Amino acid sequence: MRRVIVDCAVYRDGHREDCPADFSGALGQARAAGDAFLWIGLHEPTEEEFARVAGEFRLHPLAVEDALKAHQRPKLEVYDDSLFLVLKPVRYTERDSTVTTGELMVFVGDSFVVTVRHGEANPLRTVRDQLEHAPEVLRQGPTAVMYAVSDAVVDHYLEVAEALHTDLETLEAEVFSPERGPGGRTARRIYAFKRQVLEFRRATGPLAEPMARLAGAGVPFVHAGSQPFFRDVGDHLTRTNEQVDGLDRLMSDVLAAHLAQTGVRQNDDMRKISAWAAMVAVPTMIAGVYGMNFAHMPELGQVWGYPVAVGLMAGIVLGLYRFFKRRGWL
């Protein structure tokens, strides 16, 4: 069991104390003290490993099932004995410009917090360190942890949005560059970028409703003094969602511009091909006529017949070339 417990501590009057092995005893003491709570952090527990924690804290079976299976959308569920918040922290890999999402479940109840993490994206270590240096925040109880975790996740959203915007500017420059590479490679990059934006949107978009509920009144286990903090998180999330919407619109514009440029380039290529085909067709036609080998054909017996035919071919081709050049087809 200890291998899945990333950290465990009792916080009394905003200060950390060692976590005893007996969770139920520590929880009872925290509730009796009135100014303490227990925070347990787990990483990808199995059903058997999580069963003890779920039993000690009387977590709802549906929430336990969601925490174990993961692959949940951001949401807030209210149960009799706890709140259940699902967050999707994101990680941006600059090397290949990809966004990967993890999952972070937060259970908050009477004098306890249980966090369950899936994936590599992990803001919890930083959050715990920051909170332990801010006892005035920890004194608000388990709600402070839920706020701090949400704030860390959403603030990182803003950083990822900025990184994606930088990548989009690079992609725009490539699309509109006169010396860009093959169109197929650019199109693949655009669609790959759209997939990253979509993955990011799945993490940020659904979280707006839970943050609005936490910022309002009437949600159990939420300290009244923490509502302004959740409103601040909601404001940051709104900025993030606006940036994601802007990225999506810009990507659609970039894709439309790329397709338009591809169409224009194809038309240019077709005009060039048609022009060269016309210039080749004229001498081919003349040579074909005089290659039919009929006995009685004009100029066959003339000494000047061959140079006149060749000159006629060259003159017509030169005239067509100059005509197509003036029209911009070549």
Side-chain angles (χ1 to χ4, degrees):
M1 179 63 187
R2 282 288 175 179
R3 71 180 183 85
V4 300
I5 298 178
V6 179
D7 203 347
C8 176
V10 174
Y11 295 91
R12 191 182 307 276
D13 191 31
H15 298 282
R16 179 184 177 115
E17 297 179 358
D18 292 336
C19 180
D22 182 10
F23 295 154
S24 60
L27 180 60
Q29 293 174 9
R31 286 174 174 169
D35 62 347
F37 67 92
L38 178 64
W39 180 4
I40 299 176
L42 306 174
H43 179 231
E44 297 183 353
T46 64
E47 184 175 353
E48 294 76 14
E49 292 167 336
F50 196 43
R52 179 188 169 191
V53 175
E56 294 284 0
F57 297 101
R58 300 175 61 187
L59 304 179
H60 196 280
L62 292 177
V64 171
E65 181 181 357
D66 289 345
L68 288 172
K69 290 185 177 180
H71 303 294
Q72 304 295 315
R73 68 194 301 271
K75 62 180 181 178
L76 175 67
E77 299 286 353
V78 180
Y79 298 105
D80 293 337
D81 298 309
S82 64
L83 292 178
F84 177 58
L85 176 65
V86 179
L87 301 165
K88 293 184 79 70
V90 299
R91 185 176 66 168
Y92 175 74
T93 305
E94 188 173 357
R95 178 175 53 84
D96 51 4
S97 300
T98 57
V99 174
T100 54
T101 59
E103 292 198 34
L104 181 58
M105 288 77 170
V106 184
F107 294 88
V108 170
D110 183 10
S111 301
F112 73 85
V113 179
V114 177
T115 53
V116 182
R117 177 170 61 88
H118 294 268
E120 298 301 321
N122 178 25
L124 291 179
R125 172 59 62 186
T126 303
V127 169
R128 193 183 284 260
D129 291 341
Q130 290 175 346
L131 283 175
E132 289 176 356
H133 288 85
E136 69 282 357
V137 178
L138 278 173
R139 290 191 184 99
Q140 294 186 10
T143 308
V145 177
M146 179 178 282
Y147 152 71
V149 172
S150 302
D151 187 54
V153 170
V154 172
D155 282 350
H156 191 58
Y157 286 167
L158 290 170
E159 297 175 9
V160 173
E162 290 294 335
L164 288 173
H165 196 275
T166 300
D167 284 348
L168 179 57
E169 290 177 349
T170 303
L171 189 56
E172 280 184 302
E174 178 181 325
V175 168
F176 293 104
S177 172
E179 300 165 352
R180 63 187 177 131
R185 184 179 64 187
T186 302
R188 284 194 298 271
R189 286 197 60 193
I190 293 174
Y191 279 108
F193 192 89
K194 284 184 73 69
R195 283 198 299 270
Q196 304 310 313
V197 174
L198 177 61
E199 184 73 13
F200 192 31
R201 182 192 291 275
R202 288 172 180 165
T204 64
L207 189 57
E209 189 267 340
M211 289 299 106
R213 290 177 62 189
L214 289 169
V219 180
F221 307 109
V222 176
H223 191 281
S226 65
Q227 291 172 2
F229 295 97
F230 282 113
R231 282 197 293 271
D232 181 66
V233 176
D235 290 342
H236 292 177
L237 183 61
T238 299
R239 285 175 51 200
T240 300
N241 285 328
E242 289 174 351
Q243 291 190 28
V244 173
D245 290 341
L247 285 170
D248 190 54
R249 288 193 297 270
L250 284 172
M251 280 307 305
S252 297
D253 293 341
V254 168
L255 179 60
H258 168 69
L259 294 177
Q261 285 186 327
T262 301
V264 170
R265 187 182 302 105
Q266 288 176 344
N267 289 336
D268 289 341
D269 293 341
M270 288 302 300
R271 284 198 294 265
K272 291 177 181 179
I273 293 172
S274 300
W276 286 111
M279 287 187 290
V280 171
V282 171
T284 302
M285 180 188 68
I286 296 175
V289 169
Y290 282 92
M292 290 187 291
N293 296 322
F294 289 112
H296 302 288
M297 292 184 69
E299 291 82 36
L300 285 179
Q302 302 296 331
V303 176
W304 44 262
Y306 175 73
V308 168
V310 173
L312 179 63
M313 293 180 192
I316 294 175
V317 170
L318 179 60
L320 288 173
Y321 178 82
R322 295 183 64 182
F323 172 76
F324 290 133
K325 194 72 172 178
R326 285 197 303 269
R327 295 290 300 271
W329 286 33
L330 292 174

